[in-house]
Amino acid sequence: MNSENVKVLIIGSGPAGYTAAIYASRANLHPVLYEGLQAGGQLTTTTEVENFPGYPNGVTGPVLMDDIKKQAERFGADIRPGMVSKVDFKSYPFKVEVDGGQKINAESIIIATGASAKYLGLGDEKKYAGAGVSACATCDGFFYRGLTVAVVGGGDTAVEEALYLAGLAKKVYLIVRRNVLRASQVMQERVAQKENIEILWEHETVGLFGNGVVEGARLVKKRGTVDEEFVDIAIDGFFLAIGHKPNSDLFVPDIDVDEQGYIKTHGDTTRTNIDGVFACGDVQDPRYRQAITAAASGCKAALDVERWLLSK
Ligand code: NDP
């Protein structure tokens, strides 16, 4: 099979990848974007998005992503289904394989493969997806105003999400599997001061129940000990906050990542350790992880690529 030559190859199709495609196509760089397994990225699994500027009445995740995609296509971005299965950064142009077959020679690459929220692996998480189960409090918390929710996890994300939800919900359970929090001291103090947050120490979730939507969670306390006991709590929302996994495996070890796997970028730019390879969106952002910040970094990546290509 012949190789195809591409000036800018964008890998990934969340807000970061699509926004990079808008900017790169408007700069006449004829970007080619491969969407990956989940076209549109994490946002396609959320329902209503109310915090993305420009949508005064809110928009669903899939519609938002489709709008950004269409905007990129309007300027000629070549957006294709397909999964990048192999990259070779040692030769230049970079060699890339898609779906184990199609070969691409890329002058520059923008990695926008995002991150995936970790789930517990319970069948009920799938059963109630979009019906009370969420992995993003800032996206979905607003729908639980005055209601009761649970957050699973004991790290900074879980505590931050519990604090955020405590400002909206009537009551927040924080389900922690050990008898200590992993979160930083300052966050622990904040959570201890919130009257409507109750920490359920040494509890693990074994199931969810409800008629079509989440109405409760079944927990096990002190699992595997003589004091083991099953506890049901009544909740309207169940939030996972047990960490995210950046989708960077394909690029390691060539691309430098931090201890959690997030791609390291240089200073305030999207440059990686490999000249000509850029990273944007959640795959390089352990901190903000918002659609708008991902879109902004996609814009930065396209501008960085444009300047880099001009300088060559
Ligand atoms: P962490 O890996 O720090 O914490 C994950 C938490 O989830 C831990 O408490 C862990 O329990 C728990 N957990 C993992 N798997 C399970 C499971 N199967 N069942 C129940 N509980 C589970 O992830 P975070 O997303 O919280 O944080 C990631 C990084 O980002 C950290 O470095 C954090 O400090 C940073 N961060 C910083 C923020 C800030 O500065 N404002 C905000 C958010 C994140 P256990 O403790 O028992 O392992």
Side-chain angles (χ1 to χ4, degrees):
M1 193 185 287
N2 289 339
S3 299
E4 180 185 357
N5 296 326
V6 166
K7 207 183 249 305
V8 181
L9 179 72
I10 302 171
I11 309 175
S13 59
Y18 284 155
T19 304
I22 293 175
Y23 275 76
S25 50
R26 291 190 80 246
N28 242 350
L29 298 174
H30 310 291
V32 169
L33 181 152
Y34 280 96
E35 291 186 302
L37 272 188
Q38 189 178 30
Q42 286 185 79
L43 267 191
T44 56
T45 64
T46 64
T47 45
E48 201 74 6
V49 179
E50 294 184 335
N51 52 8
F52 199 91
Y55 292 91
N57 300 317
V59 60
T60 67
V63 168
L64 172 60
M65 292 321 301
D66 207 44
D67 281 352
I68 307 180
K69 176 178 174 175
K70 282 189 193 130
Q71 196 174 345
E73 285 177 328
R74 185 180 146 211
F75 300 110
D78 185 349
I79 296 178
R80 308 171 179 175
M83 185 82 185
V84 168
S85 45
K86 208 166 163 187
V87 287
D88 174 5
F89 293 138
K90 294 208 167 58
S91 47
Y92 190 81
F94 306 116
K95 292 194 175 6
V96 174
E97 212 171 273
V98 182
D99 291 330
Q102 166 73 14
K103 292 194 178 5
I104 307 245
N105 297 320
E107 283 180 48
S108 63
I109 292 181
I110 295 177
I111 301 172
T113 44
S116 306
K118 290 184 194 159
Y119 283 78
L120 295 169
L122 304 171
D124 288 341
E125 290 168 320
K126 287 202 182 96
K127 182 173 167 188
Y128 294 104
V133 172
S134 168
C136 179
T138 42
C139 316
D140 298 329
F142 193 65
F143 304 112
Y144 296 91
R145 276 168 301 161
L147 302 178
T148 299
V149 297
V151 177
V152 187
D156 279 320
T157 302
V159 168
E160 205 169 75
E161 305 233 323
L163 288 166
Y164 176 79
L165 288 166
L168 298 165
K170 181 174 70 184
K171 167 146 191 149
V172 180
Y173 290 105
L174 185 57
I175 304 171
V176 180
R177 68 177 172 184
R178 291 187 295 150
N179 61 358
V180 287
L181 291 173
R182 183 183 289 275
S184 50
Q185 200 56 39
V186 58
M187 299 295 275
Q188 297 198 25
E189 282 160 22
R190 273 186 217 156
V191 89
Q193 280 162 13
K194 274 276 172 200
E195 279 180 6
N196 62 341
I197 299 180
E198 182 182 345
I199 302 183
L200 301 175
W201 300 107
E202 295 180 78
H203 281 67
E204 289 173 47
T205 312
V206 288
L208 300 169
F209 53 84
N211 192 6
V213 293
V214 169
E215 291 171 12
R218 167 144 274 224
L219 315 178
V220 56
K221 186 178 177 186
K222 299 195 175 196
R223 194 205 283 262
T225 71
V226 285
D227 298 323
E228 179 176 291
E229 151 186 17
F230 285 88
V231 184
D232 286 345
I233 53 169
I235 50 167
D236 305 287
F238 182 75
F239 288 84
L240 279 309
I242 58 171
H244 281 77
K245 191 181 175 322
N247 301 318
S248 60
D249 288 355
L250 184 67
F251 314 107
V252 176
D254 296 334
I255 294 282
D256 286 348
V257 296
D258 69 11
E259 61 287 347
Q260 295 170 64
Y262 288 95
I263 293 178
K264 289 185 183 169
T265 49
H266 286 272
D268 197 27
T269 75
T270 59
R271 282 189 287 123
T272 68
N273 58 304
I274 295 183
D275 209 25
V277 180
F278 301 79
C280 56
D282 285 12
V283 74
Q284 53 82 60
D285 174 16
R287 184 172 291 267
Y288 300 106
R289 297 195 294 246
Q290 300 297 300
I292 186 67
T293 51
S297 76
C299 155
K300 284 164 66 175
L303 295 176
D304 287 343
V305 164
E306 187 185 356
R307 283 175 198 148
W308 184 80
L309 287 168
L310 270 177
S311 73
K312 271 177 73 222

